[in-house]
Amino acid sequence: MKSAMNYSCLLCILVLLPALCHSENSFTPSRATYYGSPDCYGTPTGACGYGEYGRTVYDGYVTGVSRLYRNGSGCGACYQVRCTKPQCTGEGAYVAVTDYGEGDRTDFILSTRAYAKMAKPDDYQTKQLFAYGVVEVEFRRVPCRYPGQNLLVSVSEHSRNPSYLAVILLYVAGKDDVIAAEYWQEDCQEWKPMRRVYGAMFDTQTPPIGELYLRFQVGGSWVYPKYALPADWKAGAVYDSQVQLD
């Protein structure tokens, strides 16, 4: 009996493991459209709060999403998106989420640059793809790649030292969402949660005086910048965490 049970368990593992691997790497059908911009890059006014970073990150291969926005936790996620028309390549475009947007039953509203990337490298094929306006696509989540780039902590221009602090993480490599942010309260000897204001931005109206230690939950792990924000941290400044994510 025991041998039979062990055989059954082994059989389940052999059957389920390939299925799980396939599920993780498989594509999901959807639809995509595009938005115009003067230089075909992203927009600095996206709902994720990235500012200029949201316009140029991934060399402008960016997108607004609807259900994948996930109340802002989807900001910064990267996807491979490929269309299914004859004018499309098999590779498609690799894009980063920098905005929220809804279209005609679309999951993706791509920058012009990203939409064009899905087409075969031929002007006529590209024009045909743009003529559709909305196309059937398939997509999958992929790790973000920022070779040699440290995680950066950007202090929002709305911050006011010492009464209000709002921050956004930039260059979050890997395949995990930024779930939470906390700061160290020295007098209480505990980590205090920051509020997700909107998109990728976290804030607190009671930042500690002096050096400010932060930590961020990325997926199931906490990421600790190697240095505290200086006591004279400034609105609009960007601080290097000295940490690289995989």
Side-chain angles (χ1 to χ4, degrees):
M1 177 67 72
K2 185 175 180 180
S3 176
M5 290 178 64
N6 288 340
Y7 176 78
S8 297
C9 291
L10 179 61
L11 184 61
C12 288
I13 291 173
L14 292 175
V15 170
L16 288 175
L17 195 55
L20 289 172
C21 293
H22 174 73
S23 175
E24 183 179 349
N25 295 306
S26 62
F27 285 86
T28 300
S30 184
R31 285 156 60 87
T33 185
Y34 65 93
Y35 63 90
S37 63
D39 53 10
C40 302
Y41 280 73
T43 171
T45 58
C48 289
Y50 287 132
E52 186 65 17
Y53 170 89
R55 191 180 77 83
T56 59
V57 67
Y58 256 41
D59 200 21
Y61 295 114
V62 297
T63 184
V65 293
S66 52
R67 64 189 176 94
L68 298 174
Y69 186 74
R70 300 193 303 278
N71 295 319
S73 65
C75 290
C78 293
Y79 294 91
Q80 181 184 3
V81 184
R82 62 188 188 189
C83 52
T84 56
K85 295 287 187 182
Q87 295 81 12
C88 303
T89 69
E91 187 74 2
Y94 291 83
V95 297
V97 174
T98 59
D99 201 358
Y100 175 87
E102 294 184 8
D104 178 13
R105 293 178 290 118
T106 60
D107 277 314
F108 296 91
I109 302 182
L110 302 164
S111 67
T112 310
R113 189 174 178 83
Y115 192 86
K117 184 69 173 177
M118 295 193 299
K120 293 176 180 176
D122 174 87
D123 288 346
Y124 179 71
Q125 305 275 17
T126 302
K127 287 178 180 178
Q128 280 193 314
L129 189 62
F130 274 95
Y132 290 121
V134 178
V135 291
E136 303 293 324
V137 298
E138 51 186 18
F139 71 91
R140 63 181 176 181
R141 181 82 179 261
V142 295
C144 295
R145 304 292 188 194
Y146 303 107
Q149 175 64 61
N150 290 341
L151 188 70
L152 301 182
V153 180
S154 175
V155 177
S156 166
E157 294 180 354
H158 299 293
S159 299
R160 294 292 179 269
N161 194 345
S163 60
Y164 177 72
L165 172 67
V167 298
I168 293 177
L169 280 183
L170 308 181
Y171 299 110
V172 182
K175 207 173 178 179
D176 294 316
D177 297 336
V178 180
I179 298 172
E182 296 183 345
Y183 64 90
W184 178 251
Q185 187 76 44
E186 182 67 27
D187 54 352
C188 300
Q189 289 291 291
E190 65 179 2
W191 290 98
K192 295 282 191 178
M194 300 179 75
R195 176 185 64 139
R196 186 187 290 274
V197 190
Y198 67 90
M201 184 180 295
F202 295 87
D203 78 349
T204 175
Q205 296 187 2
T206 57
I209 304 297
E211 290 187 327
L212 187 60
Y213 288 89
L214 301 172
R215 70 175 185 176
F216 301 91
Q217 187 178 3
V218 181
S221 303
W222 286 98
V223 176
Y224 296 80
K226 291 186 178 180
Y227 302 102
L229 296 189
D232 62 344
W233 55 263
K234 293 177 173 56
V238 178
Y239 297 93
D240 191 336
S241 74
Q242 295 296 311
V243 172
Q244 285 188 19
L245 298 179
D246 295 330

